[in-house]
């Protein structure tokens, strides 16, 4: 790990264990990008930067250097309107109505460690020796606006984080209209772009396309990172695969509206960028004020998509997720939602918990319907007090019943929402996001509380904390089932209304920081209609996310596979649910439902009291198996073997850090007569180790398993699966 500055060439060279990133300060003060890729010594990196005179339609910012045009220069943090016609990283409106601004080099500082981002989640270090940071200060002389570009390089992770702090050091009030977290220019366009897109119940599907001239981007304008898109993009070199080829990934540590994209220009260079979505965004920056962008996490791997994924997994698992559950195995739980929906009482809940205890399950989670007058999704959000009609002896009694079974107890909340039919709304109708005189559109019969308001945040912190303090609750599922419309705040003046969505996110992060810090022994799981807010910003506060409301095992193959492109398996909630499946109506076997759900934070979401004896025995074995392998699933290295987006079979595996154990999951969706005979090649093992397979005699060489493979299983019947456990021979 090193950040080297060559005073003679004015080149900054950032080096991680296996990655180099370099840029140069030109004499005019423009930071020009040189290289990002496999680690090099960097003896002559400055010679890579070509500055060549272009046609007259690429104007020149410096009449003394006619071969320089910003329209063709690879840049680090570009502007618009001063000879660069490409998409800018920032845009600022001045009091005179113009948006012309040029940030150029002013100074820099290199130091060990990494500072926290004020009010925002970010990757962290536990000691200054883990990372080095470059703060590059750019300044616009006319307005006095400065931008501090932060680059952090990690000792043990091949990742670079970038963010920007804008400081109004001048006297005039400015309007910040675009403030991306990073931008980087490649000198060619020989890439494929990979994105994770979908919808509710089919989140984070893998989509890949060849770059073309012009703009290609993904974005959310929904006030959340969304089911539809994810704040992530990857560029893959032509021909790159799961295991080979150069891959560049960018991921935004933010949970609100974002934009990520690539622009290919007339010279076939590619500009990759990510940040807060500038659509409907404006931030009033008064004299002396500051604005901090979210953090972008940049990863390069020469070892294909799988190599990039494992870098993200390890970094996020160890230096994004926080708290005591970061390094603890997660409990096996049963959730009552699909078993009872709103129709339950204390006796029914105790019966499900009792059945779970008999099967080896460790936690019961009470889902929606325990508060206010919540017998349907039309009422009571915001009324965070126990419904005594359902639970006449209160939540304390129910928790005590579950605890007597030697099980932990968890609880569902949706604190960011308010029902128009609620006591809270009748008392405070102005507490929701709204625009005076406009319709208050409802989604799922609810509105959104205005978390930009301190009084709203204080109310939520108090009411949620009171419930969590009332009983020994050890798990919280924090749901959010509505995207933003009519975005406005009753307390913000007219010239700050377009700050509302971002102020909401800052307010949410403040609430999450307060509550999760106050209750460090509670495991928090984020949810937004399942995976509608599966992003690094939420993982900073809550170490796991409900991956999707779609619990169908076959659907989950694509959902979990796509999610694994960026996010660690330890962050994914995965449950066995009833059949026919409530989302798609499919009837998969209990074995396959279990085998797919084993690849995550395992649990059940059905009525355990109606199981047959045969089903009970099967579940006992699933629970026992997960207890034996969850250290691999949650903390091992993950390898994708067969993609559900490319064929009928899906396979992935988990390998312990010391290569002594492996757990493999194989699923075949549809069967055909007279099946082909195939082999499954494993990954990540030690080629010099010998491994035994549970249930079979003899040993396999690690090299044999990876290069020759094992016989792929044959099945009779659709939606079939098998798991394999390998252990090194001591």
């Amino acid at each position: 790990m090193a950040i080297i500055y060559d005073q003679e060439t004015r080149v900054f060279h950032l080096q991680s264990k296996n990655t180099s990133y370099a840029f140069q300060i030109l004499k005019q003060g423009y930071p020009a990008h040189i290289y990002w890729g496999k680690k090099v010594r960097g003896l002559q990196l400055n010679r890579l930067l070509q500055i060549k005179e272009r046609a007259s339609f690429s104007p020149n910012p410096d009449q003394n250097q006619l071969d320089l045009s910003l329209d063709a220069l690879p840049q680090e943090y570009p502007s618009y309107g001063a000879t660069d016609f490409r998409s800018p990283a920032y845009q600022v409106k001045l009091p005179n109505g113009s948006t012309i601004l040029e940030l150029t080099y002013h100074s820099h500082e290199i130091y060990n460690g990494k500072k926290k981002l004020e009010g925002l989640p970010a990757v962290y270090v536990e000691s200054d020796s883990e990372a080095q940071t470059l703060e590059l200060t750019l300044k616009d002389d006319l307005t006095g606006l400065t931008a501090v570009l932060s680059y952090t390089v990690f000792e043990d992770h091949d990742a670079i984080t970038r963010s920007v702090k804008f400081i109004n050091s001048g006297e005039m009030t400015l309007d910040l209209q675009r403030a991306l977290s990073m931008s980087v220019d490649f000198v060619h366009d020989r890439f494929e772009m990979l994105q994770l897109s979908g919808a509710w119940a089919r989140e984070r599907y893998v989509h890949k396309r060849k770059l073309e001239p012009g703009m290609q981007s993904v974005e959310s304008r929904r006030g959340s990172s969304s089911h539809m898109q994810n704040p992530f993009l990857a560029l893959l070199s032509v021909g790159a695969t799961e295991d080979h080829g150069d891959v560049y990934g960018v991921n935004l540590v933010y949970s609100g509206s974002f934009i990520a994209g690539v622009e290919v220009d007339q010279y076939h260079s590619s500009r990759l960028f990510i940040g807060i979505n500038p659509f409907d965004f404006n931030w009033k920056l008064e004299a002396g004020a500051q604005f901090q962008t979210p953090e972008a996490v940049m990863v390069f791997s020469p070892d294909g998509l799988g190599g990039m994924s494992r870098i993200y997994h390890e970094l996020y698992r160890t230096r994004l997720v926080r708290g005591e559950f970061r390094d603890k195995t997660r409990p096996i739980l049963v959730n009552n939602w699909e078993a009872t929906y709103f129709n339950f009482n204390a006796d029914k809940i105790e019966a499900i918990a009792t059945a779970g205890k008999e099967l080896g399950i460790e936690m019961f989670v009470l889902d929606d319907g325990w508060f206010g007058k919540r017998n349907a999704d039309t009422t009571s959000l915001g009324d965070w007090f126990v419904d005594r009609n359902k639970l006449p002896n209160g939540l304390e009694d129910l928790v005590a019943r579950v605890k007597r079974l030697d099980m932990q107890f968890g609880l569902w909340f949706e604190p960011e929402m308010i029902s128009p039919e609620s006591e809270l709304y009748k008392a405070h109708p102005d507490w929701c996001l709204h625009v005076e005189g406009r319709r208050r559109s409802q989604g799922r019969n609810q509105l959104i509380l205005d978390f930009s308001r301190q009084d709203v945040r204080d109310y939520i912190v108090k009411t949620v904390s009171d419930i969590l303090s009332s009983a020994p609750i050890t798990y919280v599922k924090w749901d959010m089932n509505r995207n933003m419309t009519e975005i406005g705040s009753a307390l913000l003046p007219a010239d700050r209304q377009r700050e509302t969505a971002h102020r909401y996110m800052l307010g949410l992060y403040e609430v999450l920081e307060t509550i999760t810090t106050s209750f460090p022994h509670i495991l928090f799981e984020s949810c937004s209609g399942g995976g509608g807010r599966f992003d690094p910003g939420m993982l900073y506060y809550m170490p796991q996310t409900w991956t999707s409301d779609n619990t169908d095992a076959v659907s989950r193959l694509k959902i979990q596979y796509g999610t694994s492109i960026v996010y660690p398996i330890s962050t994914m909630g995965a449950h066995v649910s009833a059949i026919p499946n409530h989302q798609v109506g499919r009837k998969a076997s209990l074995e396959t439902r279990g085998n797919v759900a084993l690849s995550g934070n395992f649990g059940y979401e059905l009525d355990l009291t109606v199981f047959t004896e045969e089903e009970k025995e099967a579940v006992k074995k699933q629970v026992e198996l997960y207890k034996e392998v969850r250290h691999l699933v949650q903390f091992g290295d993950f390898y994708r073997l067969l993609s559900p987006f490319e064929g009928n079979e899906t396979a992935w595996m988990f390998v312990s850090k010391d290569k002594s154990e492996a757990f493999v999951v194989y699923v075949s969706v549809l069967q055909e007569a007279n099946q082909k005979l195939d082999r499954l090649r494993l990954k990540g093992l030690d080629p010099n180790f010998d491994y035994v397979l549970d249930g079979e005699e003899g040993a396999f060489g690690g090299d044999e398993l990876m290069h020759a493979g094992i016989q792929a299983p044959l099945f009779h019947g659709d939606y079939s699966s098998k798991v394999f456990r390998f252990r090194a021979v001591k």
Side-chain angles (χ1 to χ4, degrees), residues 242-243 303 305-311 313 317 561 564-565 569 599 632-633 635-643 650-659 661-666 680-686 706:
E242 180 69 22
D243 304 302
D303 300 318
L305 204 56
M308 181 207 70
S309 296
R310 284 184 289 278
I311 294 170
H313 290 185
R317 186 170 52 231
Y561 188 100
S564 78
I565 297 292
I569 308 305
S599 301
L632 284 176
V633 172
F635 304 118
D637 292 328
F638 180 71
Y639 294 85
R640 293 179 291 267
L641 307 180
L642 297 172
S643 170
T650 301
W652 50 56
M653 65 184 291
F654 308 87
V655 182
S656 62
K657 295 294 183 184
D658 63 2
K659 312 290 188 183
E661 296 178 83
F663 179 62
V664 183
V665 179
Y666 182 98
L680 178 67
R681 292 195 291 180
L682 307 187
K683 300 177 184 177
L685 303 175
D686 189 317
M706 292 190 290

Side-chain angles (χ1 to χ4, degrees), residues 14-200:
L14 290 65
Q15 294 179 321
S16 68
K17 198 163 43 175
N18 298 295
T19 301
S20 284
Y21 185 101
F23 61 91
Q24 183 177 24
I25 306 298
L26 302 189
K27 66 179 182 179
Q28 296 86 355
Y30 304 120
H33 183 74
I34 297 176
Y35 176 74
W36 179 24
K38 198 164 184 177
K39 188 173 183 178
V40 295
R41 286 181 291 158
L43 301 179
Q44 297 289 345
L45 282 174
N46 59 298
R47 294 190 178 184
L48 290 175
L49 186 61
Q50 295 186 63
I51 297 177
K52 179 178 173 61
E53 186 172 355
R54 298 293 185 174
S56 59
F57 283 92
S58 292
N60 312 105
D62 184 349
Q63 288 304 111
N64 295 316
Q65 188 177 352
L66 296 181
D67 59 351
L68 174 65
S69 173
L70 298 184
D71 199 34
L73 183 71
Q75 296 176 69
E76 283 294 298
Y77 205 66
S79 66
Y80 173 80
T83 76
D84 191 347
F85 297 95
R86 295 170 292 177
S87 184
Y90 65 94
Q91 192 162 29
V92 178
K93 182 181 175 183
L94 280 62
N96 64 8
S98 72
T99 55
I100 306 302
L101 202 78
E102 271 197 309
L103 293 170
T104 54
Y105 175 80
H106 181 263
S107 62
H108 73 271
E109 179 185 5
I110 299 172
Y111 58 86
N112 292 332
K114 183 178 188 289
K115 298 175 184 176
K116 289 186 176 181
L117 295 192
E118 184 176 351
L120 285 165
V123 176
Y124 61 88
V125 296
E126 292 188 338
S127 73
D128 287 347
S129 63
E130 293 182 12
Q132 256 191 342
T133 297
L134 163 67
E135 289 188 352
L136 185 75
T137 299
L138 310 180
K139 188 173 183 178
D140 178 66
D141 292 330
L142 179 63
T143 62
L145 180 70
T146 60
V148 181
L149 278 57
S150 293
Y151 300 75
T152 296
V153 188
F154 295 85
E155 174 71 28
D156 295 324
H157 307 278
D158 279 312
I160 296 169
T161 62
R162 286 185 60 179
S163 66
V164 183
K165 179 188 289 185
F166 289 90
I167 305 169
N168 188 352
S169 303
E171 298 179 355
M172 61 182 74
T173 296
L174 306 172
D175 285 305
L176 190 58
Q177 298 183 324
R178 184 181 181 94
L180 300 186
S181 297
M182 61 77 60
S183 180
V184 63
D185 290 343
F186 296 90
V187 296
H188 65 87
D189 63 353
R190 297 185 298 276
F191 292 113
E192 292 180 305
M193 185 178 95
L194 185 146
Q195 66 195 67
L196 303 177
S197 305
W200 174 79

Side-chain angles (χ1 to χ4, degrees), residues 16-17 158 187 192-194 198 203 220 225 269 317 326 328 331 384 395 483 537 566 577 589 605 608 618 672 695 722:
S16 68
K17 198 163 43 175
D158 279 312
V187 296
E192 292 180 305
M193 185 178 95
L194 185 146
E203 298 90 342
S220 170
S225 49
S269 65
R317 186 170 52 231
R326 183 189 75 179
K328 289 175 67 173
W384 299 110
L395 193 60
N483 288 152
V566 189
S577 60
S589 68
E605 196 150 335
L608 300 175
E672 59 182 26
K722 186 174 181 178

Side-chain angles (χ1 to χ4, degrees), residues 497-513:
Q497 285 296 321
R498 290 174 70 184
E499 300 176 8
T500 303
H502 183 59
R503 286 186 179 274
Y504 179 99
M505 291 312 310
L506 296 177
L508 173 61
Y509 290 148
E510 177 191 302
V511 168
L512 295 179
E513 181 71 23

Side-chain angles (χ1 to χ4, degrees), residues 331-335 361 363 546 573-577 593-594 597-598 600-606 622-623 626:
I332 303 169
L333 62 84
V334 57
N335 181 300
I361 295 171
M363 175 184 286
W546 182 226
H575 296 172
V576 176
S577 60
R593 282 178 283 155
L598 288 170
N601 295 315
F602 186 58
Y604 293 83
E605 196 150 335
L606 38 66
Q622 288 176 349
V623 169
Y626 189 71

Side-chain angles (χ1 to χ4, degrees), residues 17 56 104 109 122 147 160 222 288 290-291 299 311 328 334 343 346 407 414 417 451 477 488 520 576 594 600 618 699:
K17 198 163 43 175
S56 59
T104 54
E109 179 185 5
I160 296 169
R222 309 177 74 91
Q290 301 181 1
F291 180 86
V299 166
I311 294 170
K328 289 175 67 173
V334 57
N343 185 25
M407 293 183 74
E414 194 172 358
M417 302 294 144
F451 269 48
K477 182 179 180 181
V576 176

Side-chain angles (χ1 to χ4, degrees), residues 436-469:
E436 196 62 39
R438 295 293 180 185
R439 177 187 63 243
R440 300 185 181 191
S441 303
Q442 295 183 35
R444 203 177 181 238
N445 305 298
Q446 61 197 44
L447 301 168
I448 304 177
L449 284 170
D450 182 2
F451 269 48
S452 74
R453 298 176 55 141
Q454 188 66 56
D455 50 359
V456 170
R457 300 198 298 272
D458 291 344
Y459 171 81
I460 291 299
V461 169
K462 183 180 187 308
T463 53
V464 171
S465 297
D466 286 348
I467 291 291
L468 297 180
S469 300

